[in-house]
Amino acid sequence: MNLDWSVVWQYRGALAEGALMTVVLSLATMVVAIPGGILLALMRLSRSRIASTASACFVEFFRNLPILLLVYWAYYVMPVALDLRLSGFVTGLVALSLNVSAYNAETFRAGIGSLRKGQMEAAMALGMSRWQAMREVILPQASRRVLPVLASTWVSLFKDTSLVSVIAVGELAYTAMRIRSQTFRVLEMLTAMAAIYWALGYPQAKLTDWLNRRFGVTE
Amino acid sequence: MDLDLTSITDNWRYLANGLGLTLLLSLATVAGSLVVGGAVGLARCYGPAWLRWPLVFYIDSMRAIPVLVVLVWSYFALPIVTGWSLPPFWAAFVALTLHIAAYVAEIVRAGITSIRPGQTRAALALGMSRRQAVIQIVLPQTIIRMLPAFGSIISIAIKDTAIAAVIAVPEYMKQSETVAGQTFRPIEVFTCAMLVYFLILFPVTRLIDMAYLRVAHLGRS
């Protein structure tokens, strides 16, 4: 077994770009999925039967699908069904956002649900509208409780972006596997890929633990 | 857009074989990760102190590395290191088990720490050995409290088996890809796959939740 680790250093630029793409894709997904999750949670909790059923169906459906399948579906089916032409990045973004929005919706719903009913009633007794009470009383408190869960979702999302590599989006996993097939340095590249993910993900996992201790609600 | 379901009906046997393998791989993964994760979680809580930090390191590393990376590594890189190569199915089993066991270990630890320490102390005060206290007092409550989390582990395992398609395990995802490619009917095939996965996953999560509601009172203390 002869190993040549210099290949990792040689391709450092491409790997760094891939890692950057992974971060950008995760960020972009969260930017879509947090408002998406809030919207779905508010729909679920609204008094309109239609809105709440629609939100429940969306959440249950997209929570119960493998992300890889969503990625394929967004790649092969969505452009034809909706007559759209999207880049690989946007396709991946759509697939991940559908999944993460569904998870975030449940997170926000649980966060809002964890506040006692009296808070809403008190706010309304003070003359606030339902929407005002939601915005000024409920959501600020819920967001604190939601933070640790969102952090866990973020860590999962960060890892799940690797699945977008199957539709040739140039993030870290795709880049590393492409270099692997160009150089035939299989062990070196795959280990480097794992090490980079580890170096990026480990601090995030630890930060999540800290957020959980700091903000987590224990009964 | 015209739909043509013959791509699915003509290949139903091929797809059904894939589905069978998906279920088999899920079952094996769940069983494997319960055993490994249970052992790791228990060792972390009750094991010797020197064992603790390697276990924490293992758990946190698995939380940081994507399952795809573990999978690809164990299929392509492990043979280079060890000299023996695993067939795709077993590589997937090993990788998924390694990955999910870390989550199971965290669930076990969370379950054990959720039982108030006073209970163990009371058991010890009654003259039970430490082993007896764990087996007869702590674990029975822990297992019930862990049920909802195990439900999500099963659902995660089934979803993650789809990733095994990347190393060409002929499970349902891979078979769907093949059929979609051969018949040029990705819309029908992938939409069908969505329904199939949903119809498996949704009842599983619901059944576990319902089972939990029936036994939840046993876990209260």
Side-chain angles (χ1 to χ4, degrees):
Chain A
M1 185 164 64
N2 64 334
L3 295 176
D4 177 15
W5 293 93
S6 68
V7 68
V8 178
W9 181 251
Q10 193 189 330
Y11 284 93
R12 63 191 183 280
L15 289 171
E17 260 172 48
L20 183 67
M21 183 66 119
T22 292
V23 174
V24 170
L25 182 56
S26 310
L27 275 175
T29 306
M30 262 305 177
V31 166
V32 175
I34 287 180
I38 294 178
L39 180 70
L40 284 165
L42 292 177
M43 277 168 70
R44 183 77 181 265
L45 296 168
S46 78
R47 275 168 299 181
S48 151
R49 178 76 65 80
I50 303 165
S52 108
T53 313
S55 163
C57 289
F58 180 95
V59 169
E60 287 304 330
F61 188 67
F62 287 107
R63 264 191 344 151
N64 285 305
L65 286 182
I67 295 179
L68 191 67
L69 177 59
L70 270 176
V71 172
Y72 275 122
W73 190 84
Y75 187 69
Y76 287 109
V77 182
M78 203 176 58
V80 186
L82 304 177
D83 199 21
L84 284 172
R85 282 205 160 272
L86 300 175
S87 67
F89 181 85
V90 177
T91 307
L93 177 64
V94 169
L96 290 170
S97 300
L98 286 172
N99 176 271
V100 179
S101 297
Y103 274 100
N104 281 352
E106 286 298 273
T107 307
F108 286 116
R109 187 166 73 100
I112 294 169
S114 74
L115 294 177
R116 274 169 293 132
K117 241 172 88 186
Q119 300 245 0
M120 174 61 103
E121 285 164 4
M124 285 169 69
L126 286 171
M128 289 182 173
S129 71
R130 231 181 125 75
W131 170 237
Q132 259 186 319
M134 192 54 107
R135 210 183 47 203
E136 289 179 25
V137 179
I138 307 289
L139 288 183
Q141 296 184 72
S143 61
R144 241 181 92 91
R145 301 199 174 178
V146 155
L147 194 66
V149 191
L150 277 185
S152 312
T153 310
W154 165 268
V155 175
S156 302
L157 164 65
F158 190 80
K159 298 192 291 173
D160 288 340
T161 54
S162 63
L163 297 175
V164 173
S165 62
V166 297
I167 56 165
V169 177
E171 43 67 74
L172 183 53
Y174 178 78
T175 309
M177 289 199 260
R178 188 177 48 96
I179 300 172
R180 175 203 62 172
S181 51
Q182 282 169 0
T183 60
F184 301 105
R185 290 281 155 207
V186 177
L187 180 68
E188 294 88 333
M189 274 332 286
L190 292 184
T191 307
M193 165 168 81
I196 297 171
Y197 269 115
W198 184 88
L200 293 171
Y202 198 86
Q204 296 178 27
K206 282 294 174 197
L207 184 67
T208 308
D209 288 348
W210 179 79
L211 283 172
N212 259 307
R213 282 197 300 275
R214 178 84 174 69
F215 295 109
V217 180
T218 45
E219 295 295 326
Chain B
M1 190 173 66
D2 59 323
L3 290 177
D4 178 12
L5 292 177
T6 51
S7 54
I8 295 161
T9 49
D10 287 353
N11 296 301
W12 75 269
R13 196 177 285 277
Y14 188 73
L15 290 170
N17 283 339
L19 190 57
L21 202 62
T22 288
L23 295 178
L24 187 68
L25 184 56
S26 312
L27 209 67
T29 302
V30 169
S33 42
L34 285 187
V35 172
V36 177
V40 171
L42 285 175
R44 185 177 169 188
C45 288
Y46 299 117
W50 59 265
L51 197 58
R52 219 153 288 173
W53 82 259
L55 291 179
V56 173
F57 182 77
Y58 156 69
I59 293 169
D60 287 341
S61 298
M62 284 301 154
R63 288 169 60 204
I65 301 176
V67 62
L68 175 76
V69 174
V70 182
L71 191 71
V72 172
W73 204 91
S74 45
Y75 185 58
F76 292 108
L78 196 63
I80 301 177
V81 180
T82 59
W84 38 269
S85 61
L86 291 168
F89 180 87
W90 292 105
F93 169 71
V94 168
L96 292 174
T97 300
L98 263 181
H99 195 256
I100 294 174
Y103 289 86
V104 173
E106 277 296 89
I107 293 168
V108 170
R109 185 183 63 94
I112 289 173
T113 45
S114 80
I115 310 285
R116 278 173 290 128
Q119 298 216 10
T120 314
R121 273 184 236 136
L124 293 176
L126 285 170
M128 286 182 169
S129 69
R130 204 170 162 74
R131 190 189 165 76
Q132 271 180 317
V134 170
I135 291 174
Q136 295 186 7
I137 307 291
V138 178
L139 287 188
Q141 300 177 68
T142 308
I143 288 168
I144 302 232
R145 290 188 184 186
M146 288 185 306
L147 259 182
F150 279 152
S152 38
I153 286 293
I154 296 175
S155 136
I156 288 171
I158 299 174
K159 285 192 263 183
D160 280 356
T161 58
I163 303 173
V166 175
I167 58 166
V169 177
E171 45 70 73
Y172 189 64
M173 186 72 229
K174 179 74 206 166
Q175 306 294 78
S176 294
E177 251 182 270
T178 312
V179 171
Q182 282 172 353
T183 59
F184 300 106
R185 287 280 168 193
I187 298 186
E188 292 85 345
V189 175
F190 285 127
T191 307
C192 170
M194 270 183 148
L195 291 177
V196 167
Y197 274 109
F198 179 75
L199 288 177
I200 296 171
L201 284 158
F202 185 68
V204 166
T205 44
R206 274 297 136 100
L207 276 177
I208 299 265
D209 282 352
M210 275 160 60
Y212 175 67
L213 286 181
R214 294 200 68 163
V215 295
H217 64 280
L218 297 172
R220 287 201 198 113
S221 58

